Amino acid sequence: MPKPNGYYFYMQAMRDEKPHWRNKGNGELSQLCSEGWNRLTAQEKKVYNDMKHSSGIVLPKPGKKLVGGTEKGETDLGGQDSLGRSLLQIHLSAEAAVKKREAEAKFCAEMAQNNVNRDNFMQEFYVISTTNYCITEEMEKKVYVPAEVSIAAFSLSNGVNKFKKMNVFCKPVIPFGFTLRVKTSCEKRLKVPYPFEDALPYEEVATMIYNFVQEHIIGRKVETNGSKANGNIQTNEKPKKVIIFTHPNYRETCEKNLEAIFDGAHNIPFQVMSLADIVVAFFNIKTEYDKMTSAAMGDYLDHKRRQLDYKDRYCDHHEKEDAPECTTAILAMWMRSSLEILGSAGYKVKISDKISKPKSTVPENFTW
Ligand SMILES: [Zn+2]
């Protein structure tokens, strides 16, 4: 029995999207859908084409009705996968994810082109990195327990900004049964004591990040008591769309960590986007015949693929430790790699030999 092709999945999606197509036969539906299908990009089509490998759907024998009834052991798009998720839902969210990625890449391409057109290489790009005490892969709903968070800024012409950066450790909120795992991570990987007296509760970390975004990225003064900025401030009242970049391979984890810290995605005061997208956008403007893909750029920037010396680029806490997983060092590496490849593409970039450590953001009088 044949496996349905990508076009089949597209047809079923359209059937669901357009109520008046719902009762059309497959022959007629196929004609109605062809124009829309032809307008899809190769990447969009790929989403549908990939579904034939993952859906478990098998086409019924010729002459049988395609949708609205299934043969024994078969399923249609109204069915569920082995985890009970609606196939249609999976399909729609995969499509939405591709659309989102494409929109972001386009946004970054325009941003880079804009900067190049205006000869503006001073624009600072903020980058964020996070680590985890643990991620509970085995629980039905994964719990992310964020550990260290660093944010830093760089621009093409000035390199890494020595002042606009922050580094903080979260006090872990450990799911039941995971204390040993967290302790082991602290000892072996993160190189922080357990319990760690410099670590702050999520709420304080959230306020600290919020204030950092307000002060440095938006350029708005924050009340000294640490509360959210009130309405009396005159400058920059218009809310700006703040973007902080992160490595695409660790982006999902970073976003989940921020969700934990900010108690919900809607509270995160900025949008996370792919560092590879913005770097590749600048890169491709300079290289007419040797354009890179975002995925290849992601590989190039990945700190795990490099044998660079982390020395002198750890945060205050980690500088005394032996090979810790330190977000400050990881960020330094991402930024340095970005500057290096853009330098190689022909931009005049500033790469400093030694990247200074960020000031500790833990208040001196802080008590556990
Ligand atoms: Zn560190």
Side-chain angles (χ1 to χ4, degrees):
M1 220 173 274
K3 283 256 185 184
N5 60 19
Y7 190 56
Y8 166 82
F9 293 106
Y10 177 74
M11 274 165 52
Q12 306 319 318
M14 288 303 106
R15 196 196 286 279
D16 199 73
E17 216 163 82
K18 300 184 196 286
H20 56 288
W21 287 6
R22 219 157 269 172
N23 297 321
K24 303 240 185 252
N26 280 298
E28 195 185 349
L29 187 65
S30 176
Q31 286 182 353
L32 289 166
C33 288
S34 71
E35 202 190 322
W37 172 256
N38 290 333
R39 273 203 304 267
L40 296 183
T41 64
Q43 208 174 0
E44 283 169 336
K45 281 181 183 161
K46 189 174 179 298
V47 174
Y48 297 101
N49 288 330
D50 286 350
M51 291 178 83
K52 73 176 167 197
H53 306 297
S54 57
S55 71
I57 297 172
V58 178
L59 285 177
K61 290 185 189 96
K64 297 234 172 178
K65 234 179 130 197
L66 205 52
V67 171
T70 52
E71 292 188 75
K72 234 185 238 168
E74 293 174 357
T75 171
D76 62 33
L77 274 181
Q80 297 174 338
D81 74 353
S82 58
L83 293 172
R85 296 172 299 189
S86 147
L87 289 174
L88 184 68
Q89 207 46 52
I90 293 170
H91 146 84
L92 290 175
S93 47
E95 188 182 28
V98 170
K99 285 233 165 78
K100 186 170 174 240
R101 279 201 300 277
E102 286 183 344
E104 286 181 4
K106 190 164 168 262
F107 177 86
C108 287
E110 281 165 8
M111 191 197 284
Q113 188 64 60
N114 214 344
N115 281 305
V116 170
N117 290 350
R118 290 185 294 124
D119 241 357
N120 173 19
F121 298 107
M122 304 271 280
Q123 175 167 351
E124 281 179 322
F125 299 101
Y126 283 81
V127 195
I128 185 168
S129 171
T130 61
T131 51
N132 287 78
Y133 291 107
C134 75
I135 301 169
T136 64
E137 305 281 353
E138 49 281 86
M139 283 165 79
E140 201 176 317
K141 192 175 184 302
K142 278 194 211 177
V143 176
Y144 288 74
V145 188
E148 188 182 12
V149 180
S150 289
I151 303 177
F154 74 100
S155 69
L156 266 62
S157 53
N158 290 329
V160 176
N161 191 311
K162 291 185 168 60
F163 304 103
K164 293 181 179 174
K165 53 192 155 190
M166 65 164 287
N167 172 241
V168 63
F169 289 88
C170 301
K171 182 182 169 184
V173 177
I174 307 173
F176 182 75
F178 284 86
T179 306
L180 183 63
R181 170 103 59 96
V182 169
K183 278 183 179 171
T184 311
S185 303
C186 286
E187 188 190 334
K188 305 260 187 249
R189 187 164 51 78
L190 300 168
K191 310 287 170 84
V192 293
Y194 181 88
F196 184 26
E197 60 174 16
D198 286 348
L200 302 179
Y202 291 165
E203 226 181 276
E204 288 181 41
V205 172
T207 303
M208 199 178 275
I209 297 173
Y210 176 87
N211 289 348
F212 180 88
V213 167
Q214 292 293 319
E215 272 179 31
H216 293 291
I217 309 184
I218 299 178
R220 170 150 68 178
K221 271 205 176 134
V222 179
E223 295 292 290
T224 44
N225 63 13
S227 65
K228 291 190 176 182
N230 63 27
N232 297 332
I233 293 152
Q234 301 295 312
T235 55
N236 281 328
E237 268 311 288
K238 259 192 194 165
K240 276 186 193 171
K241 196 90 192 140
V242 176
I243 295 161
I244 303 190
F245 295 95
T246 195
H247 193 288
N249 294 3
Y250 313 104
R251 172 178 175 170
E252 196 191 339
T253 304
C254 178
E255 286 177 325
K256 297 282 184 200
N257 283 339
L258 289 166
E259 253 180 75
I261 292 167
F262 283 92
D263 193 23
H266 56 284
N267 293 325
I268 304 170
F270 52 85
Q271 199 189 330
V272 178
M273 282 172 73
S274 160
L275 178 65
D277 277 353
I278 187 68
V279 176
V280 91
F282 274 106
F283 186 89
N284 285 343
I285 290 172
K286 287 277 184 185
T287 51
E288 187 90 25
Y289 302 106
D290 193 19
K291 298 209 185 296
M292 254 177 110
T293 63
S294 205
M297 185 58 85
D299 283 347
Y300 176 83
L301 297 177
D302 194 340
H303 59 279
K304 285 189 180 159
R305 290 180 173 241
R306 313 188 129 231
Q307 290 283 315
L308 287 183
D309 188 4
Y310 277 77
K311 217 168 55 187
D312 295 329
R313 278 178 267 150
Y314 292 119
C315 68
D316 279 352
H317 171 77
H318 278 134
E319 63 180 346
K320 301 153 232 124
E321 305 293 332
D322 180 37
E325 204 179 286
C326 171
T327 52
T328 298
I330 291 168
L331 274 189
M333 231 180 236
W334 291 349
M335 294 188 294
R336 170 180 280 263
S337 308
S338 299
L339 291 169
E340 276 172 1
I341 196 159
L342 292 178
S344 79
Y347 289 96
K348 273 190 197 148
V349 299
K350 187 181 164 192
I351 305 167
S352 43
D353 292 334
K354 191 172 165 176
I355 294 158
S356 71
K357 294 172 302 239
K359 215 170 71 217
S360 172
T361 45
V362 179
E364 269 167 31
N365 59 353
F366 175 75
T367 49
W368 190 252

